[in-house]
Amino acid sequence: MLETPLHDWHVAHKAKMAPFAGWDMPIQYEDGILAEHAHTRNSASVFDICHMAQFIVKGDNAAELLKKAVSHNLDTLAVGKCRYGFLLTEEGTVIDDLIVYHLAENHYFLVVNAGCADKDFETLTKRLGKENIENISPKSGKIDLQGPKSLEVLEDLTKQNFHDLKYFSFTHVEYKDHKILVSRTGYTGELGYELYCPREAVLTLWEDLLAHELVKPAGLGARDTLRLECGLALYGHELNEEHTVAESNLAGMLTSEADYVGKAGAKEVKHDLLVPLKLEGRRTVRNGDLVIKEAGSDEVIGKVASGSFAPSLGYAIAFAFVKKEFADKESFVLKAGRNELTAQKTTAPFFTNGTARIKLS
């Protein structure tokens, strides 16, 4: 398995390690997932996200090529801004979800999922030309600082003011002789910043952040419960090559007028629809568990994409892909092993009190 620059730190601090997308990653630390989740919601946590891949796209015609390669609306993406979107198949299903940063004219920075990195790079190279794209992952790192106290931490650390940095905007700062890209984005629903730095600077930045009294480390376990509560998709679960963007209930993200690959199909609900569900009590379901037509039935009408106990809410939640003809039902039966659990259709995000979009200035 691959290891991030912080691997030895995690092991030394007794993190529970497990494989994720080909990487040996920290799932939780000694305090446990529930404590890490609560600390992120109330203070500030740091996450090792160095496994995610990073590409640079640039060239005389980079903007025109990229707007046809991905679903992002680049015509309205100003320099200093970033945007979420998709890399699609010809049929409009999802190869990956990614964020595009507009660094300068015809100069972009792409952040993609670790498990999709090789396929993404191959696909984008074909669409853009190998002279226009570079995989900078081996020399880059990424730390996520998330939580309502993250601004205080960041300003204390850098001695700079970030109150004017708006949601889905970014800037560059110098820190201990290293250039760091600071992006007001994240995957928890809370105010937060994603910090991109040279690989050799990762450990120093990580330890400096943790030296702050408000900060604790959090693993991928808490990252998953945090993102699910806020209705954020995880590739391989709510997004995949079997479902279109519309089937994943994200067609509202498709605002580009460019003729990008997969555009027509992406807006179609062909077979299934992703449905947010609230379960009765703390008992959870997992990816792959079945949705059946009614209690005791053998007729399968869907599958669970993600499920978890929601610590901020006190009950279990899930997303499930359901055959479109059943998607309007208000009540569903989920099969977890031999157990049948009742779930009610609800709305996402499940947790709505996050601070991600809070105005700071």
PDB file of all heavy atoms in Angstrom, residues 165-190:
ATOM      1  N   LEU A 165     -11.700  35.885   2.680  1.00  0.00           N
ATOM      2  CA  LEU A 165     -11.681  34.730   1.779  1.00  0.00           C
ATOM      3  C   LEU A 165     -13.053  34.064   1.797  1.00  0.00           C
ATOM      4  O   LEU A 165     -13.473  33.490   2.801  1.00  0.00           O
ATOM      5  CB  LEU A 165     -10.597  33.739   2.207  1.00  0.00           C
ATOM      6  CG  LEU A 165     -10.291  32.613   1.212  1.00  0.00           C
ATOM      7  CD1 LEU A 165      -9.714  33.175  -0.087  1.00  0.00           C
ATOM      8  CD2 LEU A 165      -9.314  31.603   1.826  1.00  0.00           C
ATOM      9  N   LYS A 166     -13.752  34.128   0.689  1.00  0.00           N
ATOM     10  CA  LYS A 166     -15.124  33.635   0.612  1.00  0.00           C
ATOM     11  C   LYS A 166     -15.158  32.138   0.297  1.00  0.00           C
ATOM     12  O   LYS A 166     -14.176  31.545  -0.127  1.00  0.00           O
ATOM     13  CB  LYS A 166     -15.917  34.428  -0.425  1.00  0.00           C
ATOM     14  CG  LYS A 166     -16.127  35.890  -0.030  1.00  0.00           C
ATOM     15  CD  LYS A 166     -16.932  36.640  -1.068  1.00  0.00           C
ATOM     16  CE  LYS A 166     -17.348  38.019  -0.568  1.00  0.00           C
ATOM     17  NZ  LYS A 166     -16.224  38.847  -0.116  1.00  0.00           N
ATOM     18  N   TYR A 167     -16.338  31.563   0.497  1.00  0.00           N
ATOM     19  CA  TYR A 167     -16.559  30.134   0.237  1.00  0.00           C
ATOM     20  C   TYR A 167     -16.226  29.804  -1.219  1.00  0.00           C
ATOM     21  O   TYR A 167     -16.613  30.509  -2.131  1.00  0.00           O
ATOM     22  CB  TYR A 167     -18.016  29.803   0.540  1.00  0.00           C
ATOM     23  CG  TYR A 167     -18.357  28.339   0.638  1.00  0.00           C
ATOM     24  CD1 TYR A 167     -17.572  27.453   1.376  1.00  0.00           C
ATOM     25  CD2 TYR A 167     -19.490  27.840   0.007  1.00  0.00           C
ATOM     26  CE1 TYR A 167     -17.903  26.116   1.473  1.00  0.00           C
ATOM     27  CE2 TYR A 167     -19.847  26.503   0.107  1.00  0.00           C
ATOM     28  CZ  TYR A 167     -19.042  25.646   0.838  1.00  0.00           C
ATOM     29  OH  TYR A 167     -19.373  24.301   0.936  1.00  0.00           O
ATOM     30  N   PHE A 168     -15.481  28.737  -1.425  1.00  0.00           N
ATOM     31  CA  PHE A 168     -14.998  28.282  -2.729  1.00  0.00           C
ATOM     32  C   PHE A 168     -14.116  29.339  -3.411  1.00  0.00           C
ATOM     33  O   PHE A 168     -14.158  29.525  -4.618  1.00  0.00           O
ATOM     34  CB  PHE A 168     -16.145  27.811  -3.627  1.00  0.00           C
ATOM     35  CG  PHE A 168     -16.424  26.331  -3.458  1.00  0.00           C
ATOM     36  CD1 PHE A 168     -17.068  25.851  -2.327  1.00  0.00           C
ATOM     37  CD2 PHE A 168     -15.999  25.414  -4.407  1.00  0.00           C
ATOM     38  CE1 PHE A 168     -17.297  24.490  -2.142  1.00  0.00           C
ATOM     39  CE2 PHE A 168     -16.219  24.054  -4.232  1.00  0.00           C
ATOM     40  CZ  PHE A 168     -16.868  23.589  -3.101  1.00  0.00           C
ATOM     41  N   SER A 169     -13.316  30.015  -2.576  1.00  0.00           N
ATOM     42  CA  SER A 169     -12.256  30.904  -3.052  1.00  0.00           C
ATOM     43  C   SER A 169     -10.941  30.428  -2.448  1.00  0.00           C
ATOM     44  O   SER A 169     -10.925  29.689  -1.461  1.00  0.00           O
ATOM     45  CB  SER A 169     -12.529  32.348  -2.646  1.00  0.00           C
ATOM     46  OG  SER A 169     -13.730  32.825  -3.205  1.00  0.00           O
ATOM     47  N   PHE A 170      -9.831  30.879  -3.030  1.00  0.00           N
ATOM     48  CA  PHE A 170      -8.532  30.451  -2.520  1.00  0.00           C
ATOM     49  C   PHE A 170      -7.515  31.573  -2.681  1.00  0.00           C
ATOM     50  O   PHE A 170      -7.724  32.543  -3.414  1.00  0.00           O
ATOM     51  CB  PHE A 170      -8.048  29.183  -3.233  1.00  0.00           C
ATOM     52  CG  PHE A 170      -7.762  29.354  -4.706  1.00  0.00           C
ATOM     53  CD1 PHE A 170      -6.484  29.680  -5.152  1.00  0.00           C
ATOM     54  CD2 PHE A 170      -8.769  29.181  -5.654  1.00  0.00           C
ATOM     55  CE1 PHE A 170      -6.210  29.842  -6.506  1.00  0.00           C
ATOM     56  CE2 PHE A 170      -8.505  29.340  -7.006  1.00  0.00           C
ATOM     57  CZ  PHE A 170      -7.227  29.672  -7.436  1.00  0.00           C
ATOM     58  N   THR A 171      -6.419  31.422  -1.971  1.00  0.00           N
ATOM     59  CA  THR A 171      -5.314  32.362  -2.047  1.00  0.00           C
ATOM     60  C   THR A 171      -4.022  31.605  -1.782  1.00  0.00           C
ATOM     61  O   THR A 171      -4.047  30.418  -1.435  1.00  0.00           O
ATOM     62  CB  THR A 171      -5.504  33.507  -1.030  1.00  0.00           C
ATOM     63  OG1 THR A 171      -4.518  34.512  -1.258  1.00  0.00           O
ATOM     64  CG2 THR A 171      -5.384  33.007   0.395  1.00  0.00           C
ATOM     65  N   HIS A 172      -2.890  32.283  -1.941  1.00  0.00           N
ATOM     66  CA  HIS A 172      -1.594  31.685  -1.660  1.00  0.00           C
ATOM     67  C   HIS A 172      -0.913  32.449  -0.530  1.00  0.00           C
ATOM     68  O   HIS A 172      -1.015  33.675  -0.454  1.00  0.00           O
ATOM     69  CB  HIS A 172      -0.692  31.696  -2.897  1.00  0.00           C
ATOM     70  CG  HIS A 172      -1.136  30.765  -3.977  1.00  0.00           C
ATOM     71  ND1 HIS A 172      -2.018  31.126  -4.970  1.00  0.00           N
ATOM     72  CD2 HIS A 172      -0.810  29.465  -4.216  1.00  0.00           C
ATOM     73  CE1 HIS A 172      -2.219  30.108  -5.787  1.00  0.00           C
ATOM     74  NE2 HIS A 172      -1.502  29.084  -5.352  1.00  0.00           N
ATOM     75  N   VAL A 173      -0.219  31.720   0.346  1.00  0.00           N
ATOM     76  CA  VAL A 173       0.540  32.350   1.423  1.00  0.00           C
ATOM     77  C   VAL A 173       1.921  31.708   1.504  1.00  0.00           C
ATOM     78  O   VAL A 173       2.124  30.569   1.072  1.00  0.00           O
ATOM     79  CB  VAL A 173      -0.171  32.205   2.787  1.00  0.00           C
ATOM     80  CG1 VAL A 173      -1.526  32.878   2.759  1.00  0.00           C
ATOM     81  CG2 VAL A 173      -0.304  30.743   3.189  1.00  0.00           C
ATOM     82  N   GLU A 174       2.863  32.459   2.040  1.00  0.00           N
ATOM     83  CA  GLU A 174       4.186  31.918   2.335  1.00  0.00           C
ATOM     84  C   GLU A 174       4.221  31.500   3.796  1.00  0.00           C
ATOM     85  O   GLU A 174       3.844  32.268   4.678  1.00  0.00           O
ATOM     86  CB  GLU A 174       5.260  32.973   2.070  1.00  0.00           C
ATOM     87  CG  GLU A 174       5.445  33.313   0.599  1.00  0.00           C
ATOM     88  CD  GLU A 174       6.107  32.189  -0.198  1.00  0.00           C
ATOM     89  OE1 GLU A 174       6.893  31.425   0.414  1.00  0.00           O
ATOM     90  OE2 GLU A 174       5.833  32.075  -1.409  1.00  0.00           O
ATOM     91  N   TYR A 175       4.648  30.272   4.047  1.00  0.00           N
ATOM     92  CA  TYR A 175       4.746  29.780   5.409  1.00  0.00           C
ATOM     93  C   TYR A 175       6.033  28.978   5.563  1.00  0.00           C
ATOM     94  O   TYR A 175       6.212  27.958   4.901  1.00  0.00           O
ATOM     95  CB  TYR A 175       3.535  28.914   5.769  1.00  0.00           C
ATOM     96  CG  TYR A 175       3.554  28.412   7.188  1.00  0.00           C
ATOM     97  CD1 TYR A 175       3.286  29.272   8.248  1.00  0.00           C
ATOM     98  CD2 TYR A 175       3.868  27.089   7.475  1.00  0.00           C
ATOM     99  CE1 TYR A 175       3.328  28.827   9.563  1.00  0.00           C
ATOM    100  CE2 TYR A 175       3.907  26.634   8.784  1.00  0.00           C
ATOM    101  CZ  TYR A 175       3.642  27.510   9.826  1.00  0.00           C
ATOM    102  OH  TYR A 175       3.689  27.064  11.131  1.00  0.00           O
ATOM    103  N   LYS A 176       6.935  29.473   6.371  1.00  0.00           N
ATOM    104  CA  LYS A 176       8.221  28.816   6.618  1.00  0.00           C
ATOM    105  C   LYS A 176       8.927  28.456   5.305  1.00  0.00           C
ATOM    106  O   LYS A 176       9.340  27.313   5.079  1.00  0.00           O
ATOM    107  CB  LYS A 176       8.041  27.585   7.503  1.00  0.00           C
ATOM    108  CG  LYS A 176       7.633  27.929   8.935  1.00  0.00           C
ATOM    109  CD  LYS A 176       7.645  26.723   9.848  1.00  0.00           C
ATOM    110  CE  LYS A 176       7.364  27.145  11.293  1.00  0.00           C
ATOM    111  NZ  LYS A 176       7.357  26.002  12.233  1.00  0.00           N
ATOM    112  N   ASP A 177       9.003  29.449   4.429  1.00  0.00           N
ATOM    113  CA  ASP A 177       9.703  29.326   3.146  1.00  0.00           C
ATOM    114  C   ASP A 177       9.008  28.402   2.147  1.00  0.00           C
ATOM    115  O   ASP A 177       9.621  27.976   1.159  1.00  0.00           O
ATOM    116  CB  ASP A 177      11.147  28.853   3.341  1.00  0.00           C
ATOM    117  CG  ASP A 177      11.965  29.829   4.163  1.00  0.00           C
ATOM    118  OD1 ASP A 177      11.759  31.048   4.013  1.00  0.00           O
ATOM    119  OD2 ASP A 177      12.794  29.369   4.969  1.00  0.00           O
ATOM    120  N   HIS A 178       7.742  28.083   2.391  1.00  0.00           N
ATOM    121  CA  HIS A 178       6.985  27.251   1.454  1.00  0.00           C
ATOM    122  C   HIS A 178       5.726  27.990   0.996  1.00  0.00           C
ATOM    123  O   HIS A 178       5.098  28.709   1.790  1.00  0.00           O
ATOM    124  CB  HIS A 178       6.576  25.921   2.103  1.00  0.00           C
ATOM    125  CG  HIS A 178       7.735  25.028   2.415  1.00  0.00           C
ATOM    126  ND1 HIS A 178       8.453  24.371   1.442  1.00  0.00           N
ATOM    127  CD2 HIS A 178       8.294  24.682   3.603  1.00  0.00           C
ATOM    128  CE1 HIS A 178       9.406  23.650   2.015  1.00  0.00           C
ATOM    129  NE2 HIS A 178       9.337  23.821   3.321  1.00  0.00           N
ATOM    130  N   LYS A 179       5.367  27.809  -0.247  1.00  0.00           N
ATOM    131  CA  LYS A 179       4.142  28.400  -0.781  1.00  0.00           C
ATOM    132  C   LYS A 179       2.988  27.435  -0.539  1.00  0.00           C
ATOM    133  O   LYS A 179       3.047  26.273  -0.931  1.00  0.00           O
ATOM    134  CB  LYS A 179       4.301  28.674  -2.278  1.00  0.00           C
ATOM    135  CG  LYS A 179       3.139  29.446  -2.896  1.00  0.00           C
ATOM    136  CD  LYS A 179       3.412  29.733  -4.367  1.00  0.00           C
ATOM    137  CE  LYS A 179       2.294  30.546  -5.005  1.00  0.00           C
ATOM    138  NZ  LYS A 179       2.565  30.822  -6.435  1.00  0.00           N
ATOM    139  N   ILE A 180       1.946  27.930   0.103  1.00  0.00           N
ATOM    140  CA  ILE A 180       0.782  27.111   0.437  1.00  0.00           C
ATOM    141  C   ILE A 180      -0.463  27.702  -0.212  1.00  0.00           C
ATOM    142  O   ILE A 180      -0.701  28.909  -0.122  1.00  0.00           O
ATOM    143  CB  ILE A 180       0.584  27.030   1.962  1.00  0.00           C
ATOM    144  CG1 ILE A 180       1.796  26.362   2.624  1.00  0.00           C
ATOM    145  CG2 ILE A 180      -0.689  26.267   2.306  1.00  0.00           C
ATOM    146  CD1 ILE A 180       1.719  26.352   4.139  1.00  0.00           C
ATOM    147  N   LEU A 181      -1.236  26.866  -0.872  1.00  0.00           N
ATOM    148  CA  LEU A 181      -2.536  27.278  -1.401  1.00  0.00           C
ATOM    149  C   LEU A 181      -3.565  27.033  -0.308  1.00  0.00           C
ATOM    150  O   LEU A 181      -3.705  25.909   0.179  1.00  0.00           O
ATOM    151  CB  LEU A 181      -2.880  26.496  -2.668  1.00  0.00           C
ATOM    152  CG  LEU A 181      -4.128  26.947  -3.449  1.00  0.00           C
ATOM    153  CD1 LEU A 181      -4.009  26.558  -4.924  1.00  0.00           C
ATOM    154  CD2 LEU A 181      -5.417  26.348  -2.877  1.00  0.00           C
ATOM    155  N   VAL A 182      -4.266  28.085   0.081  1.00  0.00           N
ATOM    156  CA  VAL A 182      -5.296  28.008   1.121  1.00  0.00           C
ATOM    157  C   VAL A 182      -6.655  28.165   0.455  1.00  0.00           C
ATOM    158  O   VAL A 182      -6.955  29.204  -0.134  1.00  0.00           O
ATOM    159  CB  VAL A 182      -5.097  29.111   2.177  1.00  0.00           C
ATOM    160  CG1 VAL A 182      -6.201  29.036   3.228  1.00  0.00           C
ATOM    161  CG2 VAL A 182      -3.726  28.988   2.821  1.00  0.00           C
ATOM    162  N   SER A 183      -7.467  27.129   0.544  1.00  0.00           N
ATOM    163  CA  SER A 183      -8.769  27.100  -0.118  1.00  0.00           C
ATOM    164  C   SER A 183      -9.872  27.006   0.920  1.00  0.00           C
ATOM    165  O   SER A 183      -9.839  26.119   1.791  1.00  0.00           O
ATOM    166  CB  SER A 183      -8.828  25.886  -1.056  1.00  0.00           C
ATOM    167  OG  SER A 183     -10.118  25.680  -1.562  1.00  0.00           O
ATOM    168  N   ARG A 184     -10.845  27.906   0.847  1.00  0.00           N
ATOM    169  CA  ARG A 184     -11.971  27.823   1.791  1.00  0.00           C
ATOM    170  C   ARG A 184     -12.996  26.819   1.248  1.00  0.00           C
ATOM    171  O   ARG A 184     -14.024  27.166   0.668  1.00  0.00           O
ATOM    172  CB  ARG A 184     -12.606  29.200   2.038  1.00  0.00           C
ATOM    173  CG  ARG A 184     -13.618  29.119   3.177  1.00  0.00           C
ATOM    174  CD  ARG A 184     -14.334  30.417   3.453  1.00  0.00           C
ATOM    175  NE  ARG A 184     -15.570  30.123   4.173  1.00  0.00           N
ATOM    176  CZ  ARG A 184     -16.489  31.013   4.500  1.00  0.00           C
ATOM    177  NH1 ARG A 184     -16.332  32.286   4.176  1.00  0.00           N
ATOM    178  NH2 ARG A 184     -17.587  30.637   5.143  1.00  0.00           N
ATOM    179  N   THR A 185     -12.666  25.585   1.427  1.00  0.00           N
ATOM    180  CA  THR A 185     -13.505  24.470   0.983  1.00  0.00           C
ATOM    181  C   THR A 185     -13.348  23.350   2.012  1.00  0.00           C
ATOM    182  O   THR A 185     -12.608  23.474   2.971  1.00  0.00           O
ATOM    183  CB  THR A 185     -13.062  23.963  -0.399  1.00  0.00           C
ATOM    184  OG1 THR A 185     -11.630  23.806  -0.407  1.00  0.00           O
ATOM    185  CG2 THR A 185     -13.452  24.937  -1.503  1.00  0.00           C
ATOM    186  N   GLY A 186     -14.037  22.251   1.796  1.00  0.00           N
ATOM    187  CA  GLY A 186     -13.907  21.118   2.704  1.00  0.00           C
ATOM    188  C   GLY A 186     -15.020  20.124   2.511  1.00  0.00           C
ATOM    189  O   GLY A 186     -15.864  20.263   1.620  1.00  0.00           O
ATOM    190  N   TYR A 187     -15.032  19.124   3.385  1.00  0.00           N
ATOM    191  CA  TYR A 187     -15.896  17.955   3.178  1.00  0.00           C
ATOM    192  C   TYR A 187     -16.635  17.589   4.459  1.00  0.00           C
ATOM    193  O   TYR A 187     -16.963  16.441   4.680  1.00  0.00           O
ATOM    194  CB  TYR A 187     -15.000  16.805   2.711  1.00  0.00           C
ATOM    195  CG  TYR A 187     -15.669  15.639   2.043  1.00  0.00           C
ATOM    196  CD1 TYR A 187     -16.588  15.805   1.003  1.00  0.00           C
ATOM    197  CD2 TYR A 187     -15.355  14.347   2.439  1.00  0.00           C
ATOM    198  CE1 TYR A 187     -17.167  14.708   0.385  1.00  0.00           C
ATOM    199  CE2 TYR A 187     -15.920  13.240   1.819  1.00  0.00           C
ATOM    200  CZ  TYR A 187     -16.832  13.430   0.795  1.00  0.00           C
ATOM    201  OH  TYR A 187     -17.408  12.334   0.175  1.00  0.00           O
ATOM    202  N   THR A 188     -16.883  18.598   5.304  1.00  0.00           N
ATOM    203  CA  THR A 188     -17.502  18.320   6.597  1.00  0.00           C
ATOM    204  C   THR A 188     -18.775  19.117   6.850  1.00  0.00           C
ATOM    205  O   THR A 188     -19.491  18.834   7.809  1.00  0.00           O
ATOM    206  CB  THR A 188     -16.520  18.648   7.742  1.00  0.00           C
ATOM    207  OG1 THR A 188     -16.238  20.057   7.732  1.00  0.00           O
ATOM    208  CG2 THR A 188     -15.222  17.856   7.600  1.00  0.00           C
ATOM    209  N   GLY A 189     -19.051  20.128   6.035  1.00  0.00           N
ATOM    210  CA  GLY A 189     -20.183  21.006   6.279  1.00  0.00           C
ATOM    211  C   GLY A 189     -19.874  22.129   7.235  1.00  0.00           C
ATOM    212  O   GLY A 189     -20.732  22.963   7.518  1.00  0.00           O
ATOM    213  N   GLU A 190     -18.635  22.167   7.730  1.00  0.00           N
ATOM    214  CA  GLU A 190     -18.228  23.226   8.644  1.00  0.00           C
ATOM    215  C   GLU A 190     -17.291  24.208   7.943  1.00  0.00           C
ATOM    216  O   GLU A 190     -16.709  23.902   6.908  1.00  0.00           O
ATOM    217  CB  GLU A 190     -17.525  22.639   9.864  1.00  0.00           C
ATOM    218  CG  GLU A 190     -18.366  21.685  10.694  1.00  0.00           C
ATOM    219  CD  GLU A 190     -19.608  22.334  11.300  1.00  0.00           C
ATOM    220  OE1 GLU A 190     -19.635  23.574  11.443  1.00  0.00           O
ATOM    221  OE2 GLU A 190     -20.554  21.587  11.637  1.00  0.00           O
TER     222      GLU A 190
END
